[in-house]
Amino acid sequence: MLRASELSMARVLSLFRPQPLLALVGRRKPTLCKMSMDSRARKVFAAAVEAVQPDTVVRQSIERKDDSVIINGQKFPLKHNLHLVGFGKAVLGMAVEAERIMGDHLVRGVISVPHGIQQTLKQHGKGHLLLKENSRIRVMEGAKHNLPDTDAQRAAEQIKQLASELTEKDVLLVLISGGGSALLPAPIPPILLQEKLDVTRKLAAAGATIQELNTVRRALSFLKGGGLAHYAHPAQVVALILSDVIGDPLDLIASGPTVRSEVWPEEVLSVLERFKLLNSIPASVKDVLGRPNSQRMDNKEKTDKAENVLNAVIGSNSIALKCAGRRARELGFRPVVLSPGVCGDVKSVSRLYGLLARFACSREEPPPEIAAEVLRLGPEVGVASWDLCRTMQVLDEGRTEGWGATCLLAGGEPTVELTGKGRGGRNQELALRVGLELKGLQLPPNGPVFLSGGTDGQDGPTDAAGAITDGGLYEEAQAQGLDINNFLTNNDSYTFFSHLSAGQHLLVPGLTCTNVMDVHMLLIPAIPINVE
Protein backbone atom coordinates (compact mmCIF):
# COMPACT_ATOMS: atom_id res chain seq x y z
CA MET A 1 0.00 0.00 0.00
CA LEU A 2 1.22 3.50 -0.81
CA ARG A 3 0.99 6.22 1.81
CA ALA A 4 -0.99 9.32 0.88
CA SER A 5 2.19 11.43 0.98
CA GLU A 6 3.91 9.14 -1.54
CA LEU A 7 0.98 9.28 -3.93
CA SER A 8 0.82 13.05 -3.65
CA MET A 9 4.53 13.28 -4.48
CA ALA A 10 3.99 11.12 -7.53
CA ARG A 11 1.08 13.27 -8.60
CA VAL A 12 3.37 16.32 -8.64
CA LEU A 13 4.23 15.16 -12.14
CA SER A 14 0.69 15.61 -13.34
CA LEU A 15 0.89 19.36 -12.67
CA PHE A 16 3.33 19.70 -15.55
CA ARG A 17 1.34 17.68 -18.08
CA PRO A 18 0.56 19.64 -21.26
CA GLN A 19 -2.95 19.85 -22.60
CA PRO A 20 -3.73 17.70 -25.67
CA LEU A 21 -3.65 20.75 -27.96
CA LEU A 22 -0.12 21.61 -26.79
CA ALA A 23 0.89 18.03 -27.38
CA LEU A 24 -0.21 18.30 -31.01
CA VAL A 25 1.45 21.67 -31.57
CA GLY A 26 4.67 20.74 -29.81
CA ARG A 27 5.22 17.42 -31.52
CA ARG A 28 8.47 17.19 -33.42
CA LYS A 29 9.67 14.71 -35.98
CA PRO A 30 12.18 12.26 -34.51
CA THR A 31 15.70 12.67 -35.87
CA LEU A 32 16.53 9.73 -38.10
CA CYS A 33 19.76 7.86 -37.51
CA LYS A 34 20.69 4.57 -39.18
CA MET A 35 23.25 3.70 -36.51
CA SER A 36 22.21 1.02 -33.97
CA MET A 37 21.29 1.98 -30.40
CA ASP A 38 24.33 0.03 -29.15
CA SER A 39 26.71 1.95 -31.44
CA ARG A 40 25.23 5.29 -30.50
CA ALA A 41 25.54 4.47 -26.78
CA ARG A 42 29.24 3.69 -27.27
CA LYS A 43 29.80 6.96 -29.14
CA VAL A 44 28.09 8.99 -26.42
CA PHE A 45 30.29 7.30 -23.79
CA ALA A 46 33.40 8.02 -25.89
CA ALA A 47 32.40 11.71 -26.01
CA ALA A 48 32.14 11.77 -22.20
CA VAL A 49 35.66 10.35 -21.87
CA GLU A 50 37.07 12.65 -24.55
CA ALA A 51 35.70 15.72 -22.73
CA VAL A 52 37.83 15.04 -19.65
CA GLN A 53 41.13 14.08 -21.26
CA PRO A 54 43.97 15.50 -19.14
CA ASP A 55 45.44 17.68 -21.89
CA THR A 56 41.99 18.87 -23.00
CA VAL A 57 40.87 20.07 -19.56
CA VAL A 58 44.14 21.96 -18.99
CA ARG A 59 44.00 23.58 -22.43
CA GLN A 60 40.43 24.74 -21.81
CA SER A 61 41.18 26.13 -18.34
CA ILE A 62 44.28 28.24 -19.08
CA GLU A 63 44.10 31.30 -21.32
CA ARG A 64 47.56 32.60 -22.25
CA LYS A 65 47.84 36.33 -23.00
CA ASP A 66 51.36 37.52 -23.75
CA ASP A 67 53.32 37.23 -20.50
CA SER A 68 50.39 36.31 -18.30
CA VAL A 69 47.76 33.60 -17.91
CA ILE A 70 44.09 33.84 -16.97
CA ILE A 71 42.66 31.01 -14.87
CA ASN A 72 39.13 31.14 -13.44
CA GLY A 73 38.96 34.84 -14.31
CA GLN A 74 42.15 35.67 -12.37
CA LYS A 75 45.23 37.02 -14.08
CA PHE A 76 48.72 35.84 -13.12
CA PRO A 77 51.84 37.55 -14.54
CA LEU A 78 54.60 35.28 -15.84
CA LYS A 79 58.24 36.37 -15.41
CA HIS A 80 60.13 33.08 -15.64
CA ASN A 81 58.70 32.50 -12.19
CA LEU A 82 56.43 29.48 -12.71
CA HIS A 83 57.07 26.21 -10.88
CA LEU A 84 54.98 23.06 -11.27
CA VAL A 85 54.15 20.06 -9.12
CA GLY A 86 51.54 17.35 -9.63
CA PHE A 87 50.29 14.02 -8.36
CA GLY A 88 47.66 11.64 -9.70
CA LYS A 89 46.89 9.10 -12.39
CA ALA A 90 46.09 11.70 -15.07
CA VAL A 91 48.75 14.26 -14.13
CA LEU A 92 51.33 13.32 -16.77
CA GLY A 93 49.03 14.41 -19.60
CA MET A 94 48.04 17.53 -17.65
CA ALA A 95 51.72 18.45 -17.22
CA VAL A 96 52.46 18.06 -20.93
CA GLU A 97 49.82 20.62 -21.86
CA ALA A 98 50.74 22.99 -19.00
CA GLU A 99 54.39 23.04 -20.12
CA ARG A 100 53.35 23.68 -23.73
CA ILE A 101 51.21 26.66 -22.71
CA MET A 102 53.66 28.18 -20.20
CA GLY A 103 56.76 27.82 -22.39
CA ASP A 104 60.06 29.06 -20.97
CA HIS A 105 58.29 30.79 -18.07
CA LEU A 106 58.32 27.32 -16.47
CA VAL A 107 61.44 27.09 -14.33
CA ARG A 108 61.13 23.52 -13.06
CA GLY A 109 58.66 20.88 -11.98
CA VAL A 110 58.20 17.56 -10.18
CA ILE A 111 55.26 15.21 -10.71
CA SER A 112 54.38 11.96 -8.94
CA VAL A 113 52.64 9.50 -11.26
CA PRO A 114 51.71 5.78 -11.16
CA HIS A 115 54.38 3.12 -11.53
CA GLY A 116 54.89 2.11 -15.18
CA ILE A 117 52.60 4.76 -16.67
CA GLN A 118 55.13 6.14 -19.16
CA GLN A 119 55.76 2.70 -20.65
CA THR A 120 52.02 1.99 -20.74
CA LEU A 121 51.32 5.24 -22.61
CA LYS A 122 54.02 4.40 -25.17
CA GLN A 123 52.58 0.91 -25.72
CA HIS A 124 49.09 2.34 -26.30
CA GLY A 125 50.20 4.98 -28.79
CA LYS A 126 49.53 7.87 -26.39
CA GLY A 127 52.79 9.67 -27.04
CA HIS A 128 51.08 13.06 -27.00
CA LEU A 129 50.63 12.59 -23.23
CA LEU A 130 54.36 12.09 -22.63
CA LEU A 131 56.81 14.88 -21.78
CA LYS A 132 59.57 15.70 -24.25
CA GLU A 133 63.16 14.69 -23.51
CA ASN A 134 64.18 18.30 -22.83
CA SER A 135 61.28 18.89 -20.42
CA ARG A 136 61.91 20.91 -17.29
CA ILE A 137 59.55 18.65 -15.38
CA ARG A 138 60.93 15.65 -13.51
CA VAL A 139 58.71 12.56 -13.65
CA MET A 140 58.78 10.25 -10.62
CA GLU A 141 56.83 6.97 -10.72
CA GLY A 142 55.51 5.21 -7.64
CA ALA A 143 52.49 3.89 -5.73
CA LYS A 144 52.60 0.43 -7.30
CA HIS A 145 49.15 -1.23 -7.15
CA ASN A 146 47.76 2.17 -6.10
CA LEU A 147 49.34 1.90 -2.64
CA PRO A 148 51.71 4.47 -1.09
CA ASP A 149 55.31 3.24 -1.25
CA THR A 150 58.88 4.50 -0.78
CA ASP A 151 59.07 5.70 -4.40
CA ALA A 152 55.95 7.83 -3.94
CA GLN A 153 57.35 9.10 -0.63
CA ARG A 154 60.57 10.21 -2.34
CA ALA A 155 58.48 12.09 -4.91
CA ALA A 156 56.48 13.74 -2.14
CA GLU A 157 59.70 14.86 -0.44
CA GLN A 158 60.92 16.39 -3.72
CA ILE A 159 57.59 18.21 -4.14
CA LYS A 160 57.77 19.51 -0.55
CA GLN A 161 61.35 20.68 -1.12
CA LEU A 162 60.42 22.56 -4.32
CA ALA A 163 57.45 24.28 -2.63
CA SER A 164 59.53 25.27 0.42
CA GLU A 165 62.06 27.19 -1.70
CA LEU A 166 59.55 29.54 -3.35
CA THR A 167 59.30 33.29 -2.74
CA GLU A 168 56.49 35.86 -3.01
CA LYS A 169 57.53 36.47 -6.65
CA ASP A 170 56.83 32.84 -7.66
CA VAL A 171 53.74 31.03 -8.93
CA LEU A 172 53.27 27.35 -8.07
CA LEU A 173 50.99 25.48 -10.48
CA VAL A 174 49.64 22.34 -8.79
CA LEU A 175 48.10 19.58 -10.93
CA ILE A 176 45.84 17.14 -9.08
CA SER A 177 43.83 14.11 -10.23
CA GLY A 178 42.40 10.90 -8.80
CA GLY A 179 44.97 8.66 -7.13
CA GLY A 180 46.84 11.71 -5.88
CA SER A 181 46.60 10.77 -2.21
CA ALA A 182 48.55 7.52 -2.66
CA LEU A 183 51.14 9.36 -4.78
CA LEU A 184 51.80 12.05 -2.16
CA PRO A 185 52.60 10.20 1.10
CA ALA A 186 54.60 12.35 3.52
CA PRO A 187 54.19 11.03 7.07
CA ILE A 188 55.38 13.31 9.85
CA PRO A 189 58.52 11.84 11.50
CA PRO A 190 58.96 9.62 13.43
CA ILE A 191 55.90 7.97 11.80
CA LEU A 192 56.96 5.41 9.19
CA LEU A 193 55.04 5.08 5.93
CA GLN A 194 53.99 1.51 6.77
CA GLU A 195 52.73 2.61 10.18
CA LYS A 196 50.55 5.33 8.66
CA LEU A 197 49.27 2.88 6.04
CA ASP A 198 48.40 0.31 8.74
CA VAL A 199 46.41 2.88 10.75
CA THR A 200 44.33 3.99 7.74
CA ARG A 201 43.79 0.37 6.63
CA LYS A 202 42.47 -0.59 10.07
CA LEU A 203 40.13 2.41 10.03
CA ALA A 204 38.82 1.52 6.58
CA ALA A 205 38.29 -2.11 7.58
CA ALA A 206 36.37 -0.95 10.66
CA GLY A 207 33.96 1.04 8.50
CA ALA A 208 35.32 4.59 8.82
CA THR A 209 33.90 7.15 6.38
CA ILE A 210 36.08 8.97 3.84
CA GLN A 211 35.77 12.09 6.04
CA GLU A 212 37.04 10.18 9.09
CA LEU A 213 39.89 8.62 7.10
CA ASN A 214 40.93 12.04 5.83
CA THR A 215 40.79 13.52 9.32
CA VAL A 216 43.40 10.99 10.43
CA ARG A 217 45.46 11.16 7.20
CA ARG A 218 45.74 14.95 7.41
CA ALA A 219 46.93 14.84 11.03
CA LEU A 220 49.72 12.39 10.20
CA SER A 221 50.90 14.06 6.97
CA PHE A 222 53.04 17.06 6.09
CA LEU A 223 51.31 17.79 2.78
CA LYS A 224 47.65 16.79 3.05
CA GLY A 225 44.93 19.11 4.35
CA GLY A 226 46.54 22.27 2.96
CA GLY A 227 50.08 21.28 3.90
CA LEU A 228 51.45 21.78 0.38
CA ALA A 229 49.99 25.30 0.15
CA HIS A 230 51.47 26.04 3.58
CA TYR A 231 54.99 25.11 2.47
CA ALA A 232 54.62 27.12 -0.75
CA HIS A 233 53.71 30.35 1.10
CA PRO A 234 54.27 33.22 0.28
CA ALA A 235 54.15 32.12 -3.38
CA GLN A 236 50.90 32.28 -5.35
CA VAL A 237 49.42 28.76 -5.54
CA VAL A 238 47.11 27.77 -8.41
CA ALA A 239 45.67 24.22 -8.30
CA LEU A 240 44.01 22.66 -11.35
CA ILE A 241 41.94 19.68 -10.25
CA LEU A 242 40.49 16.72 -12.18
CA SER A 243 37.86 15.44 -9.76
CA ASP A 244 37.08 11.77 -9.13
CA VAL A 245 34.87 12.36 -6.07
CA ILE A 246 31.09 12.88 -5.99
CA GLY A 247 30.27 16.55 -5.53
CA ASP A 248 33.88 17.65 -6.20
CA PRO A 249 34.72 18.40 -2.52
CA LEU A 250 38.15 20.07 -2.65
CA ASP A 251 39.21 18.79 0.76
CA LEU A 252 38.65 15.15 -0.22
CA ILE A 253 40.24 15.05 -3.71
CA ALA A 254 43.77 13.71 -3.05
CA SER A 255 43.12 14.64 0.62
CA GLY A 256 43.13 18.38 -0.16
CA PRO A 257 46.85 19.36 -0.22
CA THR A 258 45.97 22.92 -1.31
CA VAL A 259 42.86 23.30 0.87
CA ARG A 260 43.53 24.69 4.32
CA SER A 261 42.07 22.65 7.18
CA GLU A 262 42.75 22.87 10.87
CA VAL A 263 44.14 19.78 12.55
CA TRP A 264 42.85 19.09 16.03
CA PRO A 265 44.55 16.11 17.74
CA GLU A 266 41.48 15.69 19.96
CA GLU A 267 39.32 15.11 16.87
CA VAL A 268 41.75 12.50 15.53
CA LEU A 269 41.91 10.70 18.89
CA SER A 270 38.11 10.72 18.98
CA VAL A 271 37.96 8.94 15.60
CA LEU A 272 40.51 6.34 16.69
CA GLU A 273 38.66 5.78 19.96
CA ARG A 274 35.32 5.41 18.14
CA PHE A 275 36.73 2.44 16.23
CA LYS A 276 38.55 1.02 19.28
CA LEU A 277 42.00 1.58 17.75
CA LEU A 278 43.44 3.95 20.34
CA ASN A 279 45.35 1.23 22.18
CA SER A 280 46.76 -0.41 19.05
CA ILE A 281 48.24 2.62 17.24
CA PRO A 282 52.07 2.86 17.08
CA ALA A 283 53.98 4.97 19.60
CA SER A 284 55.12 7.26 16.77
CA VAL A 285 51.51 8.17 15.94
CA LYS A 286 50.78 8.90 19.62
CA ASP A 287 53.93 11.05 19.71
CA VAL A 288 52.84 13.18 16.73
CA LEU A 289 49.28 13.57 17.97
CA GLY A 290 50.62 14.72 21.33
CA ARG A 291 52.44 17.68 19.76
CA PRO A 292 50.88 21.15 19.52
CA ASN A 293 49.90 22.00 15.92
CA SER A 294 52.03 19.07 14.69
CA GLN A 295 51.26 19.29 10.99
CA ARG A 296 52.33 22.90 10.60
CA MET A 297 55.64 22.71 12.45
CA ASP A 298 58.68 23.68 10.43
CA ASN A 299 61.58 26.08 10.87
CA LYS A 300 59.89 28.90 8.96
CA GLU A 301 57.33 31.06 10.69
CA LYS A 302 54.70 30.92 7.96
CA THR A 303 51.02 31.63 8.04
CA ASP A 304 48.42 30.13 5.71
CA LYS A 305 46.93 32.80 3.47
CA ALA A 306 43.79 31.63 1.70
CA GLU A 307 43.94 34.59 -0.70
CA ASN A 308 47.22 33.21 -2.09
CA VAL A 309 45.56 29.96 -3.18
CA LEU A 310 43.24 29.39 -6.13
CA ASN A 311 41.61 25.94 -6.43
CA ALA A 312 39.87 25.29 -9.75
CA VAL A 313 38.04 22.08 -10.68
CA ILE A 314 38.71 21.81 -14.42
CA GLY A 315 37.41 18.29 -15.07
CA SER A 316 34.52 16.46 -13.43
CA ASN A 317 31.66 14.05 -13.98
CA SER A 318 29.34 17.00 -14.66
CA ILE A 319 31.58 18.20 -17.51
CA ALA A 320 31.70 14.68 -18.97
CA LEU A 321 27.88 14.39 -18.86
CA LYS A 322 27.44 17.80 -20.49
CA CYS A 323 29.62 16.83 -23.46
CA ALA A 324 27.98 13.39 -23.63
CA GLY A 325 24.62 15.15 -23.89
CA ARG A 326 25.89 17.28 -26.76
CA ARG A 327 26.98 14.15 -28.66
CA ALA A 328 23.67 12.43 -27.88
CA ARG A 329 21.80 15.33 -29.47
CA GLU A 330 23.95 15.03 -32.61
CA LEU A 331 22.98 11.35 -32.76
CA GLY A 332 19.25 12.03 -32.62
CA PHE A 333 18.48 11.92 -28.89
CA ARG A 334 17.06 14.53 -26.58
CA PRO A 335 19.58 14.57 -23.67
CA VAL A 336 18.40 14.68 -20.05
CA VAL A 337 20.91 14.72 -17.16
CA LEU A 338 19.55 13.11 -14.00
CA SER A 339 22.51 13.64 -11.61
CA PRO A 340 26.33 13.39 -11.48
CA GLY A 341 26.15 12.04 -7.91
CA VAL A 342 24.48 8.62 -8.11
CA CYS A 343 25.73 6.39 -5.30
CA GLY A 344 24.49 3.62 -3.01
CA ASP A 345 24.15 -0.11 -3.58
CA VAL A 346 23.94 -1.26 -7.22
CA LYS A 347 20.74 -3.16 -6.38
CA SER A 348 18.94 0.10 -5.57
CA VAL A 349 20.54 1.96 -8.47
CA SER A 350 19.54 -0.75 -10.97
CA ARG A 351 15.99 -0.71 -9.64
CA LEU A 352 15.86 3.06 -10.17
CA TYR A 353 16.95 2.79 -13.81
CA GLY A 354 14.54 -0.08 -14.44
CA LEU A 355 11.63 1.98 -13.09
CA LEU A 356 12.60 5.06 -15.10
CA ALA A 357 12.78 2.92 -18.26
CA ARG A 358 9.28 1.52 -17.64
CA PHE A 359 7.97 5.00 -16.86
CA ALA A 360 9.41 6.45 -20.08
CA CYS A 361 8.48 3.51 -22.33
CA SER A 362 4.88 3.16 -21.17
CA ARG A 363 2.40 3.64 -24.04
CA GLU A 364 -0.37 4.35 -21.56
CA GLU A 365 -0.45 6.57 -18.48
CA PRO A 366 2.20 5.08 -16.12
CA PRO A 367 0.69 3.93 -12.79
CA PRO A 368 1.48 6.39 -9.95
CA GLU A 369 3.14 3.54 -8.03
CA ILE A 370 6.16 3.75 -10.41
CA ALA A 371 6.78 7.45 -9.72
CA ALA A 372 6.22 6.91 -5.99
CA GLU A 373 8.82 4.12 -5.85
CA VAL A 374 11.30 6.21 -7.85
CA LEU A 375 10.94 9.01 -5.29
CA ARG A 376 11.31 6.53 -2.42
CA LEU A 377 14.59 5.30 -3.89
CA GLY A 378 16.02 8.82 -4.16
CA PRO A 379 17.71 9.01 -0.73
CA GLU A 380 19.21 5.52 -1.18
CA VAL A 381 20.90 6.47 -4.47
CA GLY A 382 21.96 10.03 -3.66
CA VAL A 383 19.52 11.76 -6.01
CA ALA A 384 17.33 14.63 -4.77
CA SER A 385 13.54 14.40 -5.13
CA TRP A 386 13.58 17.56 -7.23
CA ASP A 387 15.97 15.98 -9.76
CA LEU A 388 13.80 12.85 -9.93
CA CYS A 389 10.61 14.91 -10.40
CA ARG A 390 12.28 17.08 -13.05
CA THR A 391 13.56 14.02 -14.91
CA MET A 392 10.21 12.22 -14.82
CA GLN A 393 8.49 15.38 -16.00
CA VAL A 394 10.77 15.57 -19.05
CA LEU A 395 10.40 11.83 -19.75
CA ASP A 396 6.62 12.16 -19.46
CA GLU A 397 6.54 15.11 -21.84
CA GLY A 398 8.71 13.22 -24.30
CA ARG A 399 6.31 10.28 -24.14
CA THR A 400 3.06 12.27 -24.45
CA GLU A 401 4.28 14.82 -27.00
CA GLY A 402 6.20 12.44 -29.24
CA TRP A 403 9.55 14.20 -28.97
CA GLY A 404 11.41 11.22 -30.32
CA ALA A 405 14.27 9.32 -28.69
CA THR A 406 15.68 10.39 -25.31
CA CYS A 407 19.12 9.88 -23.75
CA LEU A 408 19.00 9.86 -19.95
CA LEU A 409 22.46 10.51 -18.51
CA ALA A 410 23.80 10.19 -14.97
CA GLY A 411 27.11 9.63 -13.24
CA GLY A 412 28.64 8.84 -9.88
CA GLU A 413 30.01 5.80 -8.11
CA PRO A 414 27.65 3.09 -6.83
CA THR A 415 28.91 0.36 -4.51
CA VAL A 416 28.81 -3.44 -4.71
CA GLU A 417 28.41 -5.77 -1.74
CA LEU A 418 31.03 -8.48 -2.23
CA THR A 419 29.59 -11.95 -1.70
CA GLY A 420 31.84 -13.90 -4.07
CA LYS A 421 35.30 -14.03 -5.60
CA GLY A 422 34.50 -13.52 -9.29
CA ARG A 423 35.84 -10.90 -11.68
CA GLY A 424 34.09 -7.68 -12.54
CA GLY A 425 33.30 -4.25 -11.18
CA ARG A 426 30.40 -2.02 -10.24
CA ASN A 427 29.67 -0.97 -13.84
CA GLN A 428 29.39 -4.49 -15.23
CA GLU A 429 27.32 -5.63 -12.26
CA LEU A 430 25.04 -2.58 -12.61
CA ALA A 431 24.54 -3.28 -16.33
CA LEU A 432 23.75 -6.91 -15.56
CA ARG A 433 21.20 -5.98 -12.89
CA VAL A 434 19.57 -3.31 -15.08
CA GLY A 435 19.29 -5.90 -17.86
CA LEU A 436 17.17 -8.01 -15.50
CA GLU A 437 15.07 -4.96 -14.58
CA LEU A 438 14.36 -4.35 -18.28
CA LYS A 439 13.06 -7.91 -18.76
CA GLY A 440 9.74 -7.88 -20.63
CA LEU A 441 10.30 -4.55 -22.37
CA GLN A 442 10.71 -4.45 -26.14
CA LEU A 443 14.09 -5.08 -27.72
CA PRO A 444 16.07 -2.33 -29.47
CA PRO A 445 15.45 -0.38 -31.63
CA ASN A 446 11.92 -0.32 -30.18
CA GLY A 447 13.02 -0.80 -26.57
CA PRO A 448 15.56 0.84 -24.21
CA VAL A 449 19.31 0.27 -24.02
CA PHE A 450 21.40 0.78 -20.87
CA LEU A 451 25.15 1.45 -20.61
CA SER A 452 27.33 1.79 -17.54
CA GLY A 453 31.04 2.54 -17.90
CA GLY A 454 33.95 3.76 -15.80
CA THR A 455 35.68 6.75 -17.37
CA ASP A 456 39.05 5.33 -16.27
CA GLY A 457 38.53 2.45 -18.71
CA GLN A 458 38.90 -0.30 -16.10
CA ASP A 459 35.98 -1.70 -14.13
CA GLY A 460 37.43 -3.73 -11.30
CA PRO A 461 40.43 -5.92 -12.17
CA THR A 462 39.37 -6.31 -15.81
CA ASP A 463 40.10 -4.83 -19.23
CA ALA A 464 36.47 -3.69 -19.58
CA ALA A 465 35.09 -0.31 -18.52
CA GLY A 466 31.56 -1.65 -18.21
CA ALA A 467 28.82 -3.17 -20.33
CA ILE A 468 25.73 -2.48 -22.46
CA THR A 469 22.45 -4.29 -22.00
CA ASP A 470 18.74 -4.31 -22.90
CA GLY A 471 15.47 -6.11 -22.22
CA GLY A 472 16.59 -9.25 -24.06
CA LEU A 473 19.44 -10.02 -21.66
CA TYR A 474 17.61 -12.69 -19.62
CA GLU A 475 16.40 -14.73 -22.60
CA GLU A 476 19.77 -14.35 -24.34
CA ALA A 477 21.51 -15.74 -21.25
CA GLN A 478 18.99 -18.58 -20.92
CA ALA A 479 19.49 -19.58 -24.55
CA GLN A 480 23.26 -19.78 -23.96
CA GLY A 481 22.98 -21.73 -20.69
CA LEU A 482 24.16 -18.89 -18.44
CA ASP A 483 22.63 -18.68 -14.96
CA ILE A 484 22.57 -14.95 -14.17
CA ASN A 485 21.88 -15.42 -10.44
CA ASN A 486 24.96 -17.60 -9.99
CA PHE A 487 27.16 -14.98 -11.65
CA LEU A 488 25.67 -12.20 -9.48
CA THR A 489 26.13 -14.22 -6.27
CA ASN A 490 29.81 -14.71 -7.15
CA ASN A 491 30.29 -11.06 -8.27
CA ASP A 492 31.40 -12.53 -11.60
CA SER A 493 29.83 -10.08 -14.05
CA TYR A 494 32.92 -9.90 -16.28
CA THR A 495 32.91 -13.67 -16.85
CA PHE A 496 29.18 -13.51 -17.58
CA PHE A 497 29.51 -10.78 -20.21
CA SER A 498 32.63 -12.43 -21.68
CA HIS A 499 30.61 -15.62 -22.34
CA LEU A 500 27.38 -13.88 -23.40
CA SER A 501 27.35 -13.61 -27.19
CA ALA A 502 31.17 -13.79 -27.32
CA GLY A 503 31.63 -10.60 -25.29
CA GLN A 504 29.67 -8.31 -27.61
CA HIS A 505 28.00 -6.52 -24.69
CA LEU A 506 31.29 -5.54 -23.03
CA LEU A 507 32.50 -1.93 -23.18
CA VAL A 508 36.27 -2.00 -23.79
CA PRO A 509 37.59 1.49 -24.69
CA GLY A 510 41.21 0.72 -23.78
CA LEU A 511 43.47 3.13 -21.91
CA THR A 512 41.48 6.34 -21.29
CA CYS A 513 44.13 8.32 -19.33
CA THR A 514 41.48 10.00 -17.15
CA ASN A 515 38.98 9.34 -14.36
CA VAL A 516 35.85 11.25 -13.34
CA MET A 517 33.98 8.24 -11.94
CA ASP A 518 31.24 6.47 -13.95
CA VAL A 519 28.79 7.34 -16.73
CA HIS A 520 25.31 5.77 -16.79
CA MET A 521 23.17 6.02 -19.90
CA LEU A 522 19.59 4.96 -20.65
CA LEU A 523 18.62 5.30 -24.31
CA ILE A 524 14.85 5.43 -24.75
CA PRO A 525 13.38 5.08 -28.25
CA ALA A 526 10.60 7.26 -29.62
CA ILE A 527 7.32 5.92 -28.19
CA PRO A 528 4.36 5.90 -30.63
CA ILE A 529 1.49 7.92 -29.15
CA ASN A 530 -2.21 7.75 -29.64
CA VAL A 531 -3.94 11.12 -29.93
CA GLU A 532 -7.66 10.88 -29.24
Side-chain angles (χ1 to χ4, degrees), residues 155-201:
E157 288 165 359
Q158 290 287 314
I159 287 170
K160 175 175 172 280
Q161 182 66 32
L162 185 153
S164 300
E165 295 170 359
L166 302 179
T167 70
E168 69 276 0
K169 296 178 182 178
D170 293 314
V171 177
L172 178 65
L173 184 64
V174 184
L175 306 177
I176 303 173
S177 76
S181 189
L183 286 158
L184 198 71
I188 299 171
I191 300 173
L192 301 176
L193 180 61
Q194 189 58 48
E195 289 176 328
K196 182 185 168 190
L197 191 58
D198 287 344
V199 170
T200 53
R201 271 180 176 164

Side-chain angles (χ1 to χ4, degrees), residues 475-491:
E475 289 188 1
E476 191 177 342
Q478 288 284 95
Q480 295 173 39
L482 300 172
D483 187 328
I484 292 178
N485 288 328
N486 281 348
F487 285 102
L488 284 173
T489 301
N490 199 31
N491 297 118

Side-chain angles (χ1 to χ4, degrees), residues 268-319:
V268 179
L269 292 169
S270 173
V271 171
L272 293 169
E273 189 174 14
R274 193 175 309 141
F275 293 100
K276 298 180 173 56
L277 295 174
L278 206 50
N279 296 326
S280 63
I281 59 172
S284 58
V285 173
K286 290 179 182 176
D287 175 24
V288 168
L289 293 177
R291 300 177 192 170
N293 230 3
S294 58
Q295 186 183 6
R296 302 296 177 236
M297 287 180 67
D298 78 315
N299 54 14
K300 297 180 184 178
E301 301 233 337
K302 297 179 179 180
T303 56
D304 291 303
K305 298 278 189 182
E307 62 267 25
N308 273 2
V309 180
L310 170 66
N311 288 298
V313 174
I314 62 172
S316 65
N317 193 270
S318 294
I319 292 170

Side-chain angles (χ1 to χ4, degrees), residues 242-521:
L242 187 61
S243 171
D244 68 334
V245 183
I246 287 176
D248 309 328
L250 297 175
D251 61 323
L252 294 189
I253 303 167
S255 300
T258 55
V259 182
R260 182 183 177 183
S261 62
E262 294 293 341
V263 175
W264 302 104
E266 298 83 4
E267 187 182 355
V268 179
L269 292 169
S270 173
V271 171
L272 293 169
E273 189 174 14
R274 193 175 309 141
F275 293 100
K276 298 180 173 56
L277 295 174
L278 206 50
N279 296 326
S280 63
I281 59 172
S284 58
V285 173
K286 290 179 182 176
D287 175 24
V288 168
L289 293 177
R291 300 177 192 170
N293 230 3
S294 58
Q295 186 183 6
R296 302 296 177 236
M297 287 180 67
D298 78 315
N299 54 14
K300 297 180 184 178
E301 301 233 337
K302 297 179 179 180
T303 56
D304 291 303
K305 298 278 189 182
E307 62 267 25
N308 273 2
V309 180
L310 170 66
N311 288 298
V313 174
I314 62 172
S316 65
N317 193 270
S318 294
I319 292 170
L321 295 182
K322 182 180 178 181
C323 293
R326 199 176 297 144
R327 185 73 178 109
R329 192 178 291 280
E330 292 170 359
L331 292 170
F333 294 97
R334 183 173 191 247
V336 182
V337 175
L338 171 64
S339 168
V342 176
C343 57
D345 191 273
V346 287
K347 294 172 186 173
S348 298
V349 176
S350 63
R351 181 65 181 152
L352 175 76
Y353 290 132
L355 289 166
L356 288 173
R358 291 183 184 279
F359 180 90
C361 293
S362 176
R363 298 185 181 225
E364 307 295 334
E365 184 79 9
E369 289 82 2
I370 291 183
E373 190 176 349
V374 165
L375 292 169
R376 261 204 311 271
L377 282 169
E380 291 181 36
V381 298
V383 183
S385 295
W386 165 249
D387 285 324
L388 291 168
C389 281
R390 171 185 55 79
T391 299
M392 285 191 286
Q393 176 200 337
V394 175
L395 293 177
D396 193 52
E397 288 172 355
R399 186 181 60 79
T400 56
E401 295 190 35
W403 273 334
T406 301
C407 175
L408 178 65
L409 291 159
E413 205 164 84
T415 52
V416 173
E417 181 186 353
L418 293 177
T419 54
K421 297 182 178 179
R423 297 182 70 203
R426 59 181 179 265
N427 287 285
Q428 291 164 87
E429 181 154 331
L430 178 59
L432 181 48
R433 290 185 180 279
V434 171
L436 287 179
E437 293 286 343
L438 299 179
K439 182 183 173 185
L441 293 179
Q442 284 189 280
L443 302 183
N446 300 315
V449 164
F450 179 78
L451 176 149
S452 184
T455 55
D456 63 352
Q458 288 184 309
D459 187 42
T462 74
D463 60 354
I468 304 174
T469 188
D470 56 51
L473 179 84
Y474 179 79
E475 289 188 1
E476 191 177 342
Q478 288 284 95
Q480 295 173 39
L482 300 172
D483 187 328
I484 292 178
N485 288 328
N486 281 348
F487 285 102
L488 284 173
T489 301
N490 199 31
N491 297 118
D492 205 12
S493 52
Y494 177 75
T495 304
F496 170 81
F497 279 116
S498 296
H499 290 154
L500 186 72
S501 301
Q504 289 179 15
H505 292 269
L506 283 170
L507 178 66
V508 189
L511 187 69
T512 64
C513 308
T514 191
N515 181 20
V516 293
M517 301 179 292
D518 306 334
V519 170
H520 306 155
M521 189 187 318

Side-chain angles (χ1 to χ4, degrees), residues 96 118 120-132:
V96 169
Q118 294 176 98
T120 301
L121 288 169
K122 284 177 189 173
Q123 290 171 348
H124 286 81
K126 304 276 186 178
H128 65 289
L129 298 179
L130 291 168
L131 290 162
K132 293 184 170 62

